[in-house]
Amino acid sequence: MNQVKLGIIGLGNMGSAHCNNILAGLTPELKLTAAADLRQSRRDWAKETLPDDVVLFENGDQLIESGLCDAVIIATPHYEHPRLAILAFEHLSLIHISEPTRRVVIS
């Protein structure tokens, strides 16, 4: 089976839960390849918890632009979702945002 190379942006409650689910084997179609968080404490958690082959970034922009991932989960505070999603759409084809973002209707 080909696995989707996944990056997780935001390692708070939701992001770390996504990491733990992937590591527990609940999503065998996903391979966690990268993670990002602005907070050093969460990157420290990731360094201690995630496999050594998961690349850590200081911010989501770096992760998205790295080319390491086929897809990202955006698990940041809601006000960061649109900017990160737009950047992700410019670089990737698969994006999941953990919380709803604002709906924009173009007429």
Side-chain angles (χ1 to χ4, degrees):
M1 167 187 9
N2 289 335
Q3 291 182 304
V4 174
K5 295 181 288 184
L6 180 70
I8 297 180
I9 302 171
L11 297 172
N13 290 334
M14 291 304 299
S16 59
H18 290 305
C19 290
N20 290 329
N21 287 336
I22 293 166
L23 296 179
L26 299 178
T27 55
E29 64 280 0
L30 299 176
K31 166 115 176 88
L32 184 59
T33 58
D37 200 287
L38 295 174
R39 296 166 296 167
Q40 182 65 49
S41 62
R42 298 312 297 158
R43 292 193 308 274
D44 291 343
W45 170 86
K47 188 171 182 139
E48 294 170 8
T49 307
L50 303 180
D52 291 338
D53 62 344
V54 176
V55 180
L56 301 178
F57 294 93
E58 292 182 4
N59 63 63
D61 297 42
Q62 293 170 340
L63 185 152
I64 292 167
E65 293 171 345
S66 73
L68 294 175
C69 303
D70 301 319
V72 292
I73 293 176
I74 299 172
T76 61
H78 66 278
Y79 53 82
E80 281 290 318
H81 292 177
R83 186 187 68 74
L84 287 168
I86 290 167
L87 183 63
F89 278 119
E90 293 172 355
H91 290 83
L92 308 166
S93 58
L94 301 170
I95 296 135
H96 171 79
I97 301 171
S98 287
E99 298 174 24
T101 190
R102 186 175 178 183
R103 183 176 150 193
V104 177
V105 177
I106 301 172
S107 55

